[in-house]
Amino acid sequence: AQSVTQLGSHVSVSEGALVLLRCNYSSSVPPYLFWYVQYPNQGLQLLLKYTSAATLVKGINGFEAEFKKSETSFHLTKPSAHMSDAAEYFCAVSDQQASGTYKYIFGTGTRLKVLA
Amino acid sequence: DADVTQTPRNRITKTGKRIMLECSQTKGHDRMYWYRQDPGLGLRLIYYSFDVKDINKGEISDGYSVSRQAQAKFSLSLESAIPNQTALYFCATSDLTGGEETQYFGPGTRLLVL
């Protein structure tokens, strides 16, 4: 069954430090993968997406993610954290079902805290 | 102007009351979704609609109903609200193009059931 696992419901980093948010998926076929960000009191905003074109995907605000099929991972990184990066981040996977429809599954989210 | 709007943004209601949350979109997408977000549980799908005549239950549809009035409008109703329906509700839209689907979210409706 398709699933998404985000390791660590809370992550704290110092300003300027590397951000690494982990996402592992399970899917029977290569999926489409997404990272969304949710700032306080706002909806989810698409950060980046993997659609099988390139394994290293660059998104907005300096974030990027690498699709690693052998590890079934799609971890989100940013070289240098900024205070404005504090938010909740969701990994999502979408793949085609046997019925031909697409199913979209979200992880449980990782709340990023950036320390001054 | 926002592509996906939700009304109301905040709502307080009492147990047993019927309420409706509304979602409108200007993206021209056929697909629309309703999710609820609870702390530690991420987003869970309530209902989804692939076009005006297509309505499907998600993983947690009990206690909810929906209406797709037009391509641009998708409403979520709680027929008799209960406290454990207190949550943040999101509407989303998507368009399946070339086998790729990306979802776009509204700002959310925060619902408190007393």
Side-chain angles (χ1 to χ4, degrees):
Chain A
Q2 183 187 40
S3 67
V4 177
T5 303
Q6 290 185 240
L7 295 176
S9 59
H10 292 80
V11 171
S12 294
V13 300
S14 298
E15 189 174 20
L18 172 71
V19 176
L20 171 61
L21 305 182
R22 300 178 186 273
C23 173
N24 288 87
Y25 69 92
S26 67
S27 176
S28 57
V29 297
Y32 297 122
L33 294 157
F34 307 81
W35 275 101
Y36 287 85
V37 59
Q38 183 182 25
Y39 297 105
N41 300 313
Q42 295 186 27
L44 278 71
Q45 178 183 356
L46 182 67
L47 262 182
L48 52 80
K49 60 184 177 182
Y50 167 75
T51 58
S52 76
T55 56
L56 182 62
V57 182
K58 294 186 183 299
I60 62 172
N61 301 335
F63 284 93
E64 61 182 36
E66 186 172 8
F67 171 66
K68 292 187 176 180
K69 184 178 178 181
S70 61
E71 299 177 7
T72 61
S73 68
F74 190 57
H75 302 331
L76 182 70
T77 61
K78 182 174 180 178
S80 177
H82 191 273
M83 298 298 287
S84 61
D85 294 327
E88 189 157 21
Y89 293 79
F90 292 91
C91 182
V93 60
S94 171
D95 68 18
Q96 190 170 19
Q97 307 297 293
S99 60
T101 60
Y102 281 77
K103 192 173 182 180
Y104 221 92
I105 300 291
F106 285 87
T108 53
T110 297
R111 187 170 296 279
L112 176 67
K113 185 175 182 179
V114 182
L115 307 172
Chain B
D1 288 340
D3 294 321
V4 184
T5 57
Q6 293 182 233
T7 56
R9 292 294 311 278
N10 295 279
R11 179 75 182 268
I12 300 174
T13 192
K14 294 182 179 180
T15 296
K17 293 291 187 181
R18 182 182 187 277
I19 66 165
M20 179 182 288
L21 309 183
E22 299 189 357
C23 176
S24 296
Q25 54 117 345
T26 58
K27 299 184 78 67
H29 289 166
D30 287 326
R31 298 175 171 221
M32 298 187 74
Y33 304 79
W34 275 105
Y35 292 91
R36 64 176 281 175
Q37 183 182 21
D38 299 275
L41 296 179
L43 277 76
R44 293 182 292 167
L45 183 63
I46 305 172
Y47 269 96
Y48 61 103
S49 169
F50 285 171
D51 63 42
V52 175
K53 296 182 180 179
D54 176 79
I55 302 288
N56 304 280
K57 293 183 177 180
E59 59 182 306
I60 54 162
S61 59
D62 288 348
Y64 301 95
S65 63
V66 291
S67 173
R68 184 80 184 265
Q69 301 95 324
Q71 185 201 41
K73 296 184 181 295
F74 192 37
S75 300
L76 176 72
S77 294
L78 285 68
E79 297 302 325
S80 179
I82 56 176
N84 77 1
Q85 290 177 314
T86 293
L88 184 56
Y89 290 85
F90 286 104
C91 175
T93 74
S94 73
D95 191 18
L96 188 63
T97 304
E100 176 197 329
E101 179 184 13
T102 299
Q103 296 198 358
Y104 299 89
F105 287 81
T109 294
R110 191 171 296 278
L111 175 65
L112 173 61
V113 183
L114 301 175

